[in-house]
Amino acid sequence: EELNRLFAVWLEECYQKKGHSGLPENRSPFEAYQRDRRALSFAAEQAITEAFLHAEARKVDKSGCISFHGKKYEVGLAFIGQTVDVIYDPESTEEIRIEHEGHEPWTAKKLEIGEFAGRRPALPETLQQAPAEESRVLRAAKKRNEERETYRPPAISFKRMKEVPDRV
């Protein structure tokens, strides 16, 4: 406590009240502050909070998650293979903010694997099952049947008859 009190005395007498060559007319910081007639402006609390946040880039794995400080965070399946920016407070990493170009920033929480971990995005129309209009197998069978119907072999065949020798 004594050192802190002595530091405050030094700051007041040796720094704030002593003239500085960097100020006009070799004024002290205290005199320069007193002569300034501009109103004080204070930074917004949000701006100060943002100024002390840290940022890192992470690549989203094939499960839609990122690894951050040894823990998994779910980012979303839409960002698989892309790099996102992680904005975080080093004192608290329970929730982190994710930023990606073209998207509004959102909050990611630590991954909790439960019964319903994440919903898959809908498949594109080209990959979804389409109702069958016809069967290729049935179409071929129908064609074969029609060909059979049009060709009817004769009831009697003379091909197998042997030549009979003439009798006199």
Side-chain angles (χ1 to χ4, degrees):
E1 288 183 31
E2 179 64 19
L3 287 176
N4 284 335
R5 191 185 66 73
L6 290 174
F7 173 70
V9 168
W10 173 87
L11 185 65
E12 178 86 19
E13 298 302 322
C14 299
Y15 185 81
Q16 297 289 352
K17 304 277 173 121
K18 189 175 180 183
H20 287 246
S21 61
L23 295 172
E25 301 173 11
N26 205 25
R27 290 189 187 128
S28 70
F30 180 76
E31 289 172 351
Y33 178 76
Q34 293 294 327
R35 287 188 176 201
D36 191 2
R37 296 290 173 220
R38 290 179 290 172
L40 293 176
S41 61
F42 297 99
E45 184 180 340
Q46 184 64 27
I48 293 172
T49 303
E50 291 286 324
F52 289 97
L53 294 179
H54 293 232
E56 292 182 23
R58 289 287 192 272
K59 188 171 182 177
V60 181
D61 65 13
K62 61 185 175 182
S63 64
C65 298
I66 59 169
S67 181
F68 183 72
H69 290 285
K71 296 181 178 99
K72 291 279 190 181
Y73 291 82
E74 189 169 8
V75 174
L77 297 175
F79 300 97
I80 292 174
Q82 299 181 22
T83 301
V84 295
D85 293 324
V86 178
I87 312 298
Y88 66 99
D89 178 3
E91 296 297 319
S92 172
T93 56
E94 287 295 319
E95 290 186 357
I96 57 175
R97 189 171 74 213
I98 306 295
E99 294 181 356
H100 186 65
E101 188 176 324
H103 292 82
E104 288 291 320
W106 69 96
T107 303
K109 296 180 181 176
K110 286 182 186 176
L111 180 64
E112 293 179 21
I113 299 175
E115 189 173 345
F116 304 102
R119 298 177 190 251
R120 291 186 178 184
L123 287 174
E125 253 185 67
T126 55
L127 295 178
Q128 291 182 359
Q129 283 187 341
E133 296 173 6
E134 65 177 346
S135 168
R136 292 178 297 172
V137 173
L138 290 176
R139 185 177 26 160
K142 181 180 174 187
K143 182 179 176 184
R144 210 174 327 128
N145 185 274
E146 288 173 357
E147 289 172 358
R148 245 185 230 144
E149 290 288 325
T150 57
Y151 172 73
R152 296 238 179 233
I156 302 173
S157 175
F158 297 102
K159 286 184 179 180
R160 293 187 182 172
M161 290 184 68
K162 296 182 182 177
E163 289 187 21
V164 178
D166 288 335
R167 292 186 187 177
V168 184

